[in-house]
Amino acid sequence: MSYEQIKVTPLAGALGAEISGVDLSAEIGDDVFREIQDAFHEHLVIFFRNQNLTPNQQKDFSRRFGSLIVHPFVKPLDGHPEIIPIIKEKEDKMNFGGGWHSDVSFMEEPALGSVLYAKETPPFGGDTLWSNQYLAYEALSDGMKDMLGGLKAVHSASRQYGAKGESAKNNDKRKTMEVAVTDEADAFVEHPVVRTHAATGRKSLYVNEGFTQKFAGMTKRESRPLLQYLYTHCNSEPFTCRFRWEDNSMAFWDNRCTQHYALNDYHGHRREMHRVTINGERPA
Ligand code: SIN
């Protein structure tokens, strides 16, 4: 793909590209918008540096791609229900998003994408990893592709936000972030294990360790060996990229065909990010 309005510099072989030549605090013309959208579909996660954005400007940018989700379980930023602050204080031992996942896959219509803006970054560490789920699917054997093509998986927020979930056990390890612990998180939804991207038409794997519980119609015990295999496979090194944050960097990723992982390797330092999540369609 060639770009005339913006500069697109790939970050890794599998996915990810840095975009320069655009100021996201200003209104973006249609030509620039189309190229950003093309880069998003080509690279799956795109990064912008040195952007000075207010919460409203972050939301305006995100709204160009769809309506915004109000996160059901994380307390939003004051006055901005569509923005969740993701904060690890100096004293905190636990971070948010510290495991491979695709945002809100427990929803009937999970996220199209997420836009994460760095307000305060630690002097070292705190990078985020992403993995390309098209490549993970394409690398499977034809036999495995055929079998997975006929399966659905059960997704739920219960392991994170349910009464017996991670937040219930560990909320006191995160001083500032307020994450609900609620029975509503025990609801579940079924999604195809292989989904087809609405814009690109490409197939990707759509199971993640954060929110997928089992294959539909099977027990957790029966599902575990194959799910474990898929989790290891789909986030293996050749499918990944890694982004080193600076204050005022922004990432925009496609939750339909990627997973991500926030590294927790900067104890003793503060990190604050603002996340906007964009509504998507029911996976098919
Ligand atoms: C997330 O899972 O959305 C958080 C990612 C990060 O903080 O790097």
Side-chain angles (χ1 to χ4, degrees), residues 10-18 43-47 100 127-132 135 234-244 251 253 258-261 263:
L11 181 68
L15 78 167
E18 285 202 32
H43 296 282
L44 323 189
V45 53
I46 53 178
F47 305 100
W100 284 107
D127 298 0
T128 308
L129 311 177
W130 281 265
S131 61
N132 180 331
L135 292 185
C234 62
N235 298 313
S236 57
E237 192 179 327
F239 308 141
T240 64
C241 73
R242 174 175 184 148
F243 185 64
R244 172 91 195 108
W253 65 88
T258 65
Q259 295 191 40
H260 58 283
Y261 187 128
L263 292 171

Side-chain angles (χ1 to χ4, degrees), residues 7-276:
K7 186 163 175 231
V8 179
T9 310
L11 181 68
L15 78 167
E18 285 202 32
I19 310 290
S20 50
V22 57
D23 173 6
L24 299 176
S25 67
E27 200 165 319
I28 302 169
D30 288 343
D31 288 359
V32 174
F33 172 73
R34 264 193 300 277
E35 291 201 354
I36 292 176
Q37 195 166 40
D38 286 347
F40 175 66
H41 289 145
E42 185 179 4
H43 296 282
L44 323 189
V45 53
I46 53 178
F47 305 100
F48 304 84
R49 293 200 185 266
N50 303 316
Q51 301 292 329
N52 277 298
L53 296 182
T54 63
N56 280 331
Q57 287 166 335
Q58 185 183 355
K59 288 196 288 188
D60 287 346
F61 172 78
S62 308
R63 277 202 193 93
R64 297 289 297 262
F65 299 89
S67 58
L68 307 184
I69 291 177
V70 173
H71 198 286
F73 306 119
V74 180
K75 185 165 181 272
L77 196 66
D78 279 347
H80 296 281
E82 312 89 344
I83 297 185
I84 56 168
I86 295 179
I87 300 174
K88 181 169 180 262
E89 298 290 359
K90 277 186 192 167
E91 306 78 19
D92 290 351
K93 287 287 173 261
M94 195 187 167
N95 71 342
F96 179 88
W100 284 107
H101 65 285
S102 168
D103 289 333
V104 298
S105 77
F106 52 81
M107 294 178 75
E108 286 205 1
E109 294 183 343
L112 175 153
S114 301
V115 177
L116 189 68
Y117 180 60
K119 296 285 292 173
E120 184 178 344
T121 52
F124 52 78
D127 298 0
T128 308
L129 311 177
W130 281 265
S131 61
N132 180 331
Q133 300 303 296
Y134 294 138
L135 292 185
Y137 172 73
E138 287 158 11
L140 295 170
S141 65
D142 289 343
M144 182 63 96
K145 283 181 187 155
D146 282 349
M147 184 179 69
L148 295 178
L151 293 178
K152 288 190 165 194
V154 175
H155 297 239
S156 167
S158 71
R159 261 205 316 270
Q160 304 304 327
Y161 306 109
K164 295 189 188 131
E166 288 301 311
S167 300
K169 276 185 263 164
N170 293 310
N171 250 351
D172 57 340
K173 295 190 188 139
R174 273 186 307 230
K175 204 168 128 215
T176 310
M177 278 191 76
E178 286 184 42
V179 179
V181 172
T182 162
D183 290 343
E184 282 166 40
D186 295 333
F188 59 85
V189 63
E190 290 181 10
H191 295 311
V193 170
V194 178
R195 70 181 288 184
T196 304
H197 196 286
T200 66
R202 291 177 72 186
K203 287 184 177 178
S204 62
L205 272 177
Y206 194 64
V207 287
N208 71 87
E209 198 157 12
F211 302 121
T212 307
Q213 302 228 321
K214 65 189 192 81
F215 294 111
M218 298 187 203
T219 63
K220 284 187 180 170
R221 199 159 165 224
E222 288 166 341
S223 306
R224 199 168 298 132
L226 181 52
L227 279 177
Q228 277 307 335
Y229 167 75
L230 291 175
Y231 297 150
T232 306
H233 167 76
C234 62
N235 298 313
S236 57
E237 192 179 327
F239 308 141
T240 64
C241 73
R242 174 175 184 148
F243 185 64
R244 172 91 195 108
W245 293 95
E246 292 167 342
D247 293 0
N248 304 327
S249 301
M250 197 173 85
F252 173 32
W253 65 88
D254 193 329
N255 281 298
R256 298 167 293 185
C257 53
T258 65
Q259 295 191 40
H260 58 283
Y261 187 128
L263 292 171
N264 188 9
D265 56 356
Y266 54 98
H267 291 330
H269 297 281
R270 189 174 192 277
R271 181 178 185 269
E272 175 173 351
M273 318 290 275
H274 285 178
R275 193 181 94 191
V276 171

